[in-house]
Amino acid sequence: FSISGSSALHPSKKLKRKITKREISKSILVEVAWEVCNQMGGIYTVIRSKIPSMVEYWGEHYCLLGPYVHSNVSAEFEPISHSRSPIGRAVEKMREMGYEVHYGHWLVSGRPQTVLFNPFNVYDKLGEIKYELWEHHDISTPGGDEMLDQTIAFGHQVEVFLQLLTEEANSKKVVGHFHEWMAGIPIPQIRRKSIPVSTVFTTHATLLGRYLAMNDPLFYEYLPFYDWQKEATHFNIEPMVKIERAAAHGSHVFTTVSELTANECEHLLGRKPDEILPNGLNIERFEALHEFQNLHLEYKERIHQAVMGHFFQSYSFDLNNTLYFFTSGRFEYKNKGYDLTLEALARLNWWLKQDKSPVTIVMFIITKRPFHSINPMVLHSKAIMEEVRQCCDEIQHQVGEKLFYAAAASLDHRLPNLSEFVDDYMRLRLRRTLQSWKSDSLPPIVTHNLVNDAEDEVLNFLRNANLINYPDDRVKFIYHPDFISPTNPLFGMEYHQFVRGCHMGIFPSYYEPWGYTPLECIASGVPSVTSDLSGFGDYALKSMKDPEENGISVTKRRHGNFDKSANELATFLYNYVQLNRRERIAFRNQVESNSVLFDWQYLASHYDKAHKRAIVADL
Ligand code: G6P
Ligand code: 1S3
């Protein structure tokens, strides 16, 4: 580890935006995504975090379109009563035609103009809309797939709206930017009907790529040779794959999030993207470095509470010498690199045991799996620990009061025996509570009762490797098969607070078009691991002189040698464990100061390039 240095990109080199004020005044940019006001995954983060940079530049010439499906949508959406802008007029016209159209501001940072359509409002026309897709674009969409039906109904309303907007646009050029196949459905119809909208399509993964990577250990080797039609039929995803292809081929400007996915697009969709649009974040910077360091300490102490509740009924360890590692994300065991992470941690555990290391590592695996309930033992232990805390608080109070009187009345300046100040009732209560807490069994490796405990890949690995939280294990595990939220009884904190309190995020994915999780870490000054098969890792390798110095360790997975990759990852973690506290603090400072390279202020210029192409495209 070296904790000083520079990178090829520099935070002060904010890229210049690419579209002139004049061009913006003659255009309207409409971004369409299924995740506008509807959080499902990574695309929500892209759209939402990018808004301030888009609104700052495009102002009232920018608008988002999304579905009105989220049960709480009205809480984050404020309707606009009336507007004479082209967007407002198109909304009015569409309402006059009988459609239910929600027009307002999305109440997130940047407050963008937003139009939402309820897919169910056109379900009576679904047969007709589907017939058109089949007749003109050879996309047959059988019934029974609720998600597909909703996106088709939504796409139809987007098409109608864009048609009206072009009529109301006062000869301004309308640019429609569609994210992912769910939003891309109107593209082929826009082209067929020659609606004068300049279209940009961004795919955030290819559907086939994701399925193939999950199922074929030689995915990257075979990539150039797959027969898309055959594979789409095999995985039973033909309608969606055809929609994705139609959007990719039909768009004026085709884009994706990384060079890795661009390669996938070329082979699986048959079109090379025109632009790569790397994903950014709104990086929150503090005036003083110690502010974010203080936050680390504050949230680490909250994690300490969860860890004490989990382990200390069985045995204790030195929290001052404990490091918190974690991985998180959707449960795709192989694609998200959980297999490699666990193998590397097994090796790390062995090496640290050999060293007789005094350090304890607690590894959190945060994902979403079907479960019946939280393990009652885990909840019980947490509750009793709270009782221990209450007893201690009361004893502290008793001792404090009595000590004050004793000290004030003392004539010989000697400190009295403090234990005499604790009354018998409190002694007994504390002893009984501790007795009912302490247990001979090992701390569980999983916090919930899983629906499929016996077949769970994480549990199977840990049990087979005998990594079941023995006292002498240096790496201990808490598998938490639910996302973290403030209402969660075990952590009771926001995910981003949890990230800040940890020391390292581990995400060596096998298939990952971009990957926000490591980026979220470094935005909080927390070092992280990604892989050269993730779009983000690949981008970091190509754009920074030494990503590792900036807290982005990129595990090599391209060569396909699992054992070598596991050793590389374990070695990196082992070296991190050797750092002392001062070095960890300095490292976090360095990570945080370079994270600004991934701010939208810097990366939105790639979107500008795509929009510029669309503005100048012949329709
Ligand atoms: C931050 C705090 C320090 C604390 C440190 C712990 O830097 O400002 O007061 O000592 O975190 O760092 P560690 O890497 O041991 O969690
Ligand atoms: C996709 O979401 P995912 O986790 O299914 O889009 C994200 C945003 O572009 C990207 O970060 C991720 O790698 C993709 O896989």
Side-chain angles (χ1 to χ4, degrees), residues 125-186:
K125 293 197 200 125
L126 202 54
E128 226 175 283
I129 302 168
K130 286 180 162 201
Y131 178 80
E132 290 222 331
L133 270 179
W134 172 76
E135 193 194 6
H136 301 295
H137 309 290
D138 187 31
I139 302 173
S140 120
T141 51
D145 184 330
E146 191 49 41
M147 177 72 179
L148 184 59
D149 286 354
Q150 285 187 30
T151 51
I152 291 172
F154 167 68
H156 171 74
Q157 294 174 83
V158 170
E159 179 197 321
V160 172
F161 176 78
L162 288 173
Q163 165 83 62
L164 295 170
L165 183 60
T166 56
E167 290 162 15
E168 298 296 330
N170 299 335
S171 70
K172 290 189 176 64
K173 188 150 191 179
V174 175
V175 175
H177 188 155
F178 305 80
H179 289 267
E180 203 75 341
W181 70 267
M182 291 91 102
I185 296 175

Side-chain angles (χ1 to χ4, degrees), residues 289-298 300-301 304 319-324 500-503 576 580-586 588-589:
L289 273 178
H290 66 258
E291 287 187 56
F292 94 90
Q293 292 282 359
N294 289 347
L295 287 179
H296 165 70
L297 188 60
E298 183 186 332
K300 186 176 81 162
E301 272 162 9
H304 280 341
L319 291 179
N320 204 28
N321 223 346
T322 298
L323 299 176
Y324 295 135
R500 277 199 190 277
C502 285
H503 294 91
Y576 179 79
N580 61 33
R581 173 161 289 141
R582 281 178 81 93
E583 290 166 330
R584 288 199 300 270
I585 292 173
R588 279 198 295 272
N589 283 343

Side-chain angles (χ1 to χ4, degrees), residues 381-444:
S381 171
K382 175 105 199 292
I384 302 191
M385 197 196 72
E386 284 309 318
E387 167 67 11
V388 173
R389 172 186 293 287
Q390 275 179 21
C391 283
C392 293
D393 286 348
E394 273 190 48
I395 291 173
Q396 185 191 5
H397 183 69
Q398 266 185 8
V399 171
E401 288 284 299
K402 290 181 183 167
L403 173 62
F404 175 62
Y405 288 118
S410 162
L411 295 174
D412 59 6
H413 313 297
R414 271 193 307 196
L415 192 65
N417 181 356
L418 298 185
S419 91
E420 284 170 9
F421 294 156
V422 184
D423 65 28
D424 286 344
Y425 167 73
M426 284 315 298
R427 281 170 201 272
L428 190 65
R429 188 171 143 197
L430 181 61
R431 187 170 309 146
R432 281 206 179 134
T433 314
L434 288 173
Q435 257 170 10
S436 68
W437 190 31
K438 296 296 172 182
S439 132
D440 291 335
S441 55
L442 291 175

Side-chain angles (χ1 to χ4, degrees), residues 52-216:
S53 298
M54 301 308 289
V55 170
E56 181 196 333
Y57 205 47
W58 283 84
E60 288 299 299
H61 292 242
Y62 180 68
C63 176
L64 287 166
L65 306 187
Y68 196 87
V69 284
H70 190 266
S71 55
N72 266 338
V73 66
S74 54
E76 52 182 284
F77 183 80
E78 190 174 74
I80 296 174
S81 51
H82 186 68
S83 162
R84 292 307 302 153
S85 70
I87 292 163
R89 291 199 302 270
V91 168
E92 275 315 311
K93 270 202 167 174
M94 203 165 160
R95 282 180 181 153
E96 281 161 20
M97 290 163 74
Y99 289 92
E100 175 191 323
V101 187
H102 302 264
Y103 175 40
H105 287 118
W106 187 6
L107 300 177
V108 292
S109 190
R111 291 172 58 94
Q113 287 187 89
T114 304
V115 183
L116 304 176
F117 307 105
N118 183 345
F120 298 106
N121 281 325
V122 293
Y123 259 41
D124 56 333
K125 293 197 200 125
L126 202 54
E128 226 175 283
I129 302 168
K130 286 180 162 201
Y131 178 80
E132 290 222 331
L133 270 179
W134 172 76
E135 193 194 6
H136 301 295
H137 309 290
D138 187 31
I139 302 173
S140 120
T141 51
D145 184 330
E146 191 49 41
M147 177 72 179
L148 184 59
D149 286 354
Q150 285 187 30
T151 51
I152 291 172
F154 167 68
H156 171 74
Q157 294 174 83
V158 170
E159 179 197 321
V160 172
F161 176 78
L162 288 173
Q163 165 83 62
L164 295 170
L165 183 60
T166 56
E167 290 162 15
E168 298 296 330
N170 299 335
S171 70
K172 290 189 176 64
K173 188 150 191 179
V174 175
V175 175
H177 188 155
F178 305 80
H179 289 267
E180 203 75 341
W181 70 267
M182 291 91 102
I185 296 175
I187 294 176
Q189 286 288 70
I190 288 173
R191 297 306 300 270
R192 185 181 73 82
K193 295 181 182 168
S194 298
I195 301 172
V197 173
S198 193
T199 53
V200 182
F201 178 58
T202 300
T203 184
H204 292 255
T206 68
L207 265 165
L208 263 182
R210 189 185 298 281
Y211 275 82
L212 287 163
M214 253 188 283
N215 290 284
D216 189 343

Side-chain angles (χ1 to χ4, degrees), residues 306-324:
V307 165
M308 285 168 75
H310 193 90
F311 288 95
F312 280 24
Q313 65 163 341
S314 308
Y315 53 79
S316 63
F317 43 84
D318 179 9
L319 291 179
N320 204 28
N321 223 346
T322 298
L323 299 176
Y324 295 135

Side-chain angles (χ1 to χ4, degrees), residues 369-379 446-451 481-482 490:
R369 302 291 282 153
F371 57 80
H372 296 297
S373 62
I374 299 186
N375 180 345
M377 270 171 58
V378 172
L379 275 182
V446 56
T447 50
H448 293 54
N449 291 332
L450 292 182
V451 170
D482 195 8
L490 300 178

Side-chain angles (χ1 to χ4, degrees), residues 329-549:
R330 223 147 19 83
F331 191 88
E332 283 178 22
Y333 187 70
K334 197 168 147 279
N335 279 358
K336 296 285 178 194
Y338 293 163
D339 52 353
L340 189 72
T341 300
L342 292 175
E343 179 58 39
L345 287 166
R347 292 179 193 194
L348 178 66
N349 183 49
W350 175 246
W351 295 346
L352 294 176
K353 273 167 84 168
Q354 301 286 94
D355 287 358
K356 302 207 178 343
S357 169
V359 178
T360 302
I361 288 152
V362 178
M363 171 69 192
F364 296 96
I365 300 158
I366 312 289
T367 182
K368 188 104 187 145
R369 302 291 282 153
F371 57 80
H372 296 297
S373 62
I374 299 186
N375 180 345
M377 270 171 58
V378 172
L379 275 182
H380 182 67
S381 171
K382 175 105 199 292
I384 302 191
M385 197 196 72
E386 284 309 318
E387 167 67 11
V388 173
R389 172 186 293 287
Q390 275 179 21
C391 283
C392 293
D393 286 348
E394 273 190 48
I395 291 173
Q396 185 191 5
H397 183 69
Q398 266 185 8
V399 171
E401 288 284 299
K402 290 181 183 167
L403 173 62
F404 175 62
Y405 288 118
S410 162
L411 295 174
D412 59 6
H413 313 297
R414 271 193 307 196
L415 192 65
N417 181 356
L418 298 185
S419 91
E420 284 170 9
F421 294 156
V422 184
D423 65 28
D424 286 344
Y425 167 73
M426 284 315 298
R427 281 170 201 272
L428 190 65
R429 188 171 143 197
L430 181 61
R431 187 170 309 146
R432 281 206 179 134
T433 314
L434 288 173
Q435 257 170 10
S436 68
W437 190 31
K438 296 296 172 182
S439 132
D440 291 335
S441 55
L442 291 175
I445 48 176
V446 56
T447 50
H448 293 54
N449 291 332
L450 292 182
V451 170
N452 213 344
D453 179 285
E455 281 167 32
D456 188 88
E457 287 153 302
V458 170
L459 288 180
N460 281 346
F461 181 95
L462 293 177
R463 286 169 183 156
N464 288 337
N466 210 21
L467 284 168
I468 51 172
N469 290 340
Y470 285 113
D472 65 336
D473 278 331
R474 295 298 82 225
V475 182
K476 304 185 193 294
F477 291 86
I478 298 186
Y479 176 23
H480 188 267
D482 195 8
F483 291 139
I484 287 183
S485 74
T487 52
N488 177 287
L490 300 178
F491 291 97
M493 61 206 296
E494 297 279 5
Y495 173 72
H496 68 89
Q497 298 174 330
F498 170 79
V499 171
R500 277 199 190 277
C502 285
H503 294 91
M504 173 77 68
I506 311 178
F507 313 99
S509 297
Y510 176 72
Y511 178 82
E512 190 75 84
W514 178 255
Y516 259 120
T517 38
L519 181 45
E520 282 162 351
C521 283
I522 62 160
S524 299
V526 174
S528 68
V529 180
T530 175
S531 80
D532 61 354
L533 290 180
S534 90
F536 170 65
D538 185 58
Y539 180 78
L541 281 177
K542 288 176 179 148
S543 59
M544 294 171 127
K545 240 193 222 151
D546 188 350
E548 199 163 292
E549 275 195 355

